[in-house]
Amino acid sequence: MINEREVLVLVSPYEYAGPVSLGDATLVARTQGGAIAGGELYLGTNGSPSTFYAVDALTGRVNFKEPLPGHDVIWAVVVGSDNYVYIGGTNTGYLLRYKPDEKVLENLGANPSNKWIWDLDASPDGRIYGSTYAPGAGKAFVYDIASASFADLGVVQPGQDYVRGGGVSGRYFYAGTGTTAHLFRYDRENGEKTEIPLPITGSAASISNIWGYGGKLFVAYGTSLLVLDELTYRVIRQIDWLSAPAFDGMLSPPSPYNGTLMYYRNKNTSALWTYDLSSDETAPAEPDLALPSHSWRAANWMRIAEGPKTGRHVLVALTNEIERILYDPIDHTIEVLQTQVRPSGIEVQSLETGPDGNLYMGGYQGAMSVYDTAAGQFAVQEKEPHQIEGIGFLNGKAFFGLYGGAVICEYDPTKPFRMGDNPFVAYEIEDEQSRPFTFAAGGGKLFIGTISGYGQLGGALTIYDPAAGTWNVHRHVVNNQSVIGLAYRDGLVYGGTSIWGGLGIPPSETEARFFVWDVAKAARTAELKPEVPGFISPQMIGELSFGPDGLLWGIMWGRAEEADSACALFAMDPLTRTVVKSRVISEGDRGSAWRPFFLRWGGDGMLYTTIGRRLLVFDPRTLDSRLLTDKPVNLMTLGPDGSVYYTQGAQLIKLQVRK
């Protein structure tokens, strides 16, 4: 049996030209966070990298923009008491500050808590409070503007990853946790910390925003809302996300014309609604006013300085699609206006070659593209659907697995793109599932592996039978583990797992497993650990693929005899389920705990992989290998002519084959 530890250099029958960028693959104009003040919109775009913009709220003109290297998504934007704009990203922990009068963006340094900043809130006495994420140690921090100094407020709730949202009201800073909900109050004068009991305390929810208006505290958890008396914390109103008045996660401040009315977008109808502080009633604004079906990311009142409405106050809202919405409460009109923010490249999240030889891609937090390999150009570049984690193919159709639950969209490449019609939502996998990262097809059926949702363990194998019109979901095929690798042959599905489930909960198991599922019996018929010499404990197994030699090939990551972080490439006899070839490699990285390591078979008989998140090609007979690029690679596929395609950030890269 072959089992080599040292990497041998492969002499490939193919040579490749140098890497060529084919341009940004997935494009959107989208934001996750913003603020509105001084007649401007402030936001960071989704992108690779993100870009900070200051946009004129009335004209949509870009007044300032600057790339934010190291950042891909900006959730946290707030205007401080000094009228400067504070920005927090999701990778570096840096707090940035934009000075509108000088048009200067500066870096204030890394906060002392965590690298991922979810939310920023400003107090009137010159402080900026930050809410952060880190596994098991979600913290909050404060930045003092006058002294230019940070202070770490510590772990908000032990064991909780997320301090997802905060808020400042009066002398208090409030911090909300997830994926198990807790609300804490910090006295901003003496630092005393007090937990505020809620109806959702201890439940599987994440508190995402907090506002204080009119003596009441508004606590958002997703698109549900609690309204509390801020003196007693008595619950005045609870609006569930499934109820008729459900909001989309954002509230406006009270109207300057009627201090009891606050406005929001109704999640269910996309109409403008009001919350009355005096009666605690919700109702549609009068007359009925329709809004775009895009979530609000910021809302504030602005006084018009010139033109026929000079002196009038209008409500300005910024949507996640970077639209401007202007509501005039005097003449009851709504204007939906675009900005001059153009689509930019976002990190590619998924990449597969379709049966038509074209490349199908999804972006991180949005976008879908198709690259025509014969024409050498992008045939489709759309801003939707939402984040595609994995892509599969069956009967000439493409199936996209969307994050945000586990939504499966079906797309016919022979028909024009029209979101909602093509692609359309074919099925939503329930049973607390999320992130469909792996697909396989065979026997006229489609097989999908998913991760459990936030704060949950136990992924699922879902089987779609188009002939019968059925979707069957089998959770806990391996107890408390996620399904990240799939292959099919002769009525059997072969699968691999990850010990990790949704964010916000540690694994309960210590080793990943290989399993066999009998489709006809709808039952698991085997579960085992692949025995690879020198490899001790797998924690991820996937992807899996049948080779031309009839063996089932796979990659696993975990602990080896010589390294605590190592990968193993192995080939298994599918009948005896014994490993007949393997190689242990300690170079590289685990990367994502959910995304499988890709395996793709070339026309040259070679096996191309992303083992260790590196692009390596193996000779399956000898397991000699060759590194094709020295850059980390998460996504890779092969074109019809044998060319290798991979991604770097937003860019699609091609290694042209030279025969």
Side-chain angles (χ1 to χ4, degrees):
M1 182 179 81
I2 297 174
N3 176 242
E4 297 289 345
R5 303 285 183 83
E6 297 300 322
V7 177
L8 303 178
V9 177
L10 168 68
V11 179
S12 173
Y14 284 174
E15 289 299 325
Y16 296 92
V20 175
S21 173
L22 303 176
D24 288 345
T26 43
L27 303 170
V28 297
R30 186 166 295 160
T31 186
Q32 298 297 351
I36 301 169
E40 289 187 312
L41 311 175
Y42 304 108
L43 61 104
T45 59
N46 293 8
S48 184
S50 175
T51 299
F52 173 77
Y53 282 87
V55 179
D56 188 290
L58 291 181
T59 67
R61 182 184 66 248
V62 173
N63 293 333
F64 177 87
K65 70 174 182 177
E66 186 171 315
L68 304 176
H71 299 88
D72 51 14
V73 178
I74 301 294
W75 286 90
V77 185
V78 72
V79 177
S81 59
D82 55 0
N83 295 319
Y84 293 160
V85 185
Y86 293 82
I87 307 108
T90 55
N91 291 320
T92 67
Y94 292 142
L95 183 65
L96 308 174
R97 177 166 63 192
Y98 173 65
K99 298 181 176 181
D101 51 348
E102 302 175 37
K103 290 186 167 52
V104 170
L105 183 67
E106 56 187 3
N107 190 336
L108 301 176
N111 79 80
S113 299
N114 294 312
K115 289 185 177 180
W116 186 297
I117 303 175
W118 272 113
D119 193 22
L120 291 172
D121 296 283
S123 66
D125 60 351
R127 298 174 188 173
I128 304 297
Y129 290 84
S131 303
T132 74
Y133 159 85
K139 292 183 175 183
F141 69 86
V142 60
Y143 176 79
D144 185 271
I145 295 173
S147 64
S149 62
F150 288 97
D152 183 3
L153 298 181
V155 174
V156 172
Q157 172 69 10
Q160 290 303 299
D161 298 358
Y162 293 86
V163 185
R164 179 62 182 83
V168 171
S169 183
R171 66 182 287 169
Y172 301 117
F173 164 62
Y174 295 91
T177 68
T179 55
T180 302
H182 294 271
L183 177 64
F184 290 90
R185 183 188 75 188
Y186 289 79
D187 190 309
R188 297 191 301 105
E189 295 181 10
N190 59 31
E192 182 182 8
K193 176 183 173 184
T194 306
E195 182 165 9
I196 307 301
L198 300 173
I200 61 169
T201 296
S203 67
S206 293
I207 294 173
S208 50
N209 222 326
I210 302 158
W211 306 271
Y213 295 118
K216 295 171 181 176
L217 201 64
F218 296 82
V219 180
Y221 52 108
T223 53
S224 296
L225 186 68
L226 284 168
V227 185
L228 311 178
D229 182 306
E230 195 171 2
L231 289 177
T232 65
Y233 301 111
R234 175 180 61 88
V235 176
I236 297 170
R237 182 83 189 271
Q238 185 167 5
I239 301 174
D240 186 75
W241 67 282
L242 292 172
S243 65
F247 81 141
D248 75 349
M250 180 60 60
L251 286 172
S252 82
S255 166
Y257 295 107
N258 182 344
T260 68
L261 287 185
M262 302 160 63
Y263 291 83
Y264 68 93
R265 171 185 164 266
N266 184 291
K267 174 187 172 182
N268 299 310
T269 65
S270 282
L272 185 67
W273 274 49
T274 61
Y275 186 95
D276 192 317
L277 283 163
S278 61
S279 66
D280 297 302
E281 295 298 323
T282 56
E286 295 182 359
D288 289 344
L289 295 167
L291 299 167
S293 58
H294 301 140
S295 298
W296 288 8
R297 290 293 180 254
N300 204 356
W301 294 92
M302 184 186 74
R303 184 179 180 274
I304 296 178
E306 58 184 28
K309 293 186 178 183
T310 297
R312 190 177 295 185
H313 288 83
V314 295
L315 177 64
V316 182
L318 169 69
T319 74
N320 65 328
E321 297 286 344
I322 318 184
E323 300 156 315
R324 296 169 293 135
I325 297 173
L326 273 61
Y327 168 62
D328 187 330
I330 302 299
D331 60 20
H332 305 290
T333 58
I334 288 275
E335 291 183 89
V336 181
L337 305 167
Q338 301 301 313
T339 67
Q340 294 176 9
V341 176
R342 301 273 70 86
S344 58
I346 58 174
E347 185 166 350
V348 182
Q349 181 74 1
S350 50
L351 169 66
E352 295 288 351
T353 304
D356 56 5
N358 292 334
L359 310 184
Y360 292 75
M361 286 158 281
Y364 178 59
Q365 301 202 351
M368 186 276 282
S369 299
V370 179
Y371 183 80
D372 187 321
T373 55
Q377 62 185 22
F378 289 96
V380 178
Q381 284 185 301
E382 298 288 344
K383 65 181 181 180
E384 298 175 293
H386 188 55
Q387 183 170 315
I388 301 171
E389 305 282 40
I391 303 171
F393 301 94
L394 181 68
N395 299 333
K397 309 291 176 56
F399 290 84
F400 304 137
L402 274 55
Y403 162 71
V407 177
I408 309 300
C409 284
E410 181 177 327
Y411 175 67
D412 187 339
T414 66
K415 296 180 180 179
F417 179 99
R418 184 179 175 186
M419 191 62 207
D421 295 326
N422 188 43
F424 66 91
V425 175
Y427 190 69
E428 183 170 356
I429 303 171
E430 297 183 339
D431 203 5
E432 300 176 320
Q433 294 304 291
S434 187
R435 304 182 191 271
F437 265 98
T438 186
F439 288 75
K445 298 177 177 64
L446 185 70
F447 307 96
I448 308 164
T450 50
I451 316 300
S452 48
Y454 286 92
Q456 302 293 323
L457 295 172
L461 170 66
T462 297
I463 302 174
Y464 171 47
D465 185 340
T470 58
W471 296 78
N472 293 311
V473 182
H474 307 280
R475 190 177 180 187
H476 293 292
V477 175
V478 175
N479 188 52
N480 284 347
Q481 299 202 28
S482 300
V483 179
I484 66 163
L486 291 173
Y488 172 87
R489 178 161 289 184
D490 298 333
L492 299 177
V493 177
Y494 300 85
T497 71
S498 168
I499 63 172
W500 285 275
L503 290 173
I505 187 170
S508 64
E509 311 303 309
T510 58
E511 291 190 330
R513 310 294 283 178
F514 170 88
F515 68 87
V516 182
W517 181 270
D518 189 303
V519 177
K521 295 178 180 178
R524 189 193 70 202
T525 56
E527 178 188 324
L528 55 99
K529 179 176 80 171
E531 295 296 337
V532 170
F535 201 86
I536 299 172
S537 178
Q539 296 177 20
M540 295 172 63
I541 301 175
E543 192 64 73
L544 300 170
S545 177
F546 277 97
D549 53 10
L551 297 175
L552 179 60
W553 291 73
I555 294 175
M556 55 188 178
W557 176 89
R559 187 164 57 92
E561 289 178 356
E562 298 177 357
D564 289 335
S565 175
C567 285
L569 174 69
F570 65 90
M572 176 185 288
D573 184 319
L575 296 179
T576 64
R577 291 153 201 163
T578 56
V579 173
V580 298
K581 298 180 183 181
S582 64
R583 163 155 294 140
V584 177
I585 297 176
S586 58
E587 293 86 354
D589 193 11
R590 183 199 77 178
S592 167
W594 306 312
R595 176 182 283 128
F597 300 95
F598 289 0
L599 295 164
R600 300 292 180 263
W601 294 94
D604 55 357
M606 299 295 108
L607 177 58
Y608 294 78
T609 79
T610 59
I611 188 168
R613 311 302 176 191
R614 300 190 305 158
L615 184 55
L616 284 166
V617 55
F618 288 85
D619 184 326
R621 298 166 300 169
T622 64
L623 299 188
D624 295 352
S625 65
R626 179 182 173 189
L627 184 67
L628 295 182
T629 175
D630 59 0
K631 297 183 181 299
V633 174
N634 289 306
L635 303 173
M636 174 275 299
T637 192
L638 301 179
D641 67 348
S643 293
V644 180
Y645 295 86
Y646 63 97
T647 64
Q648 293 288 314
Q651 295 190 353
L652 179 64
I653 310 294
K654 180 179 181 179
L655 291 178
Q656 175 71 48
V657 66
R658 288 176 174 171
K659 298 184 180 180

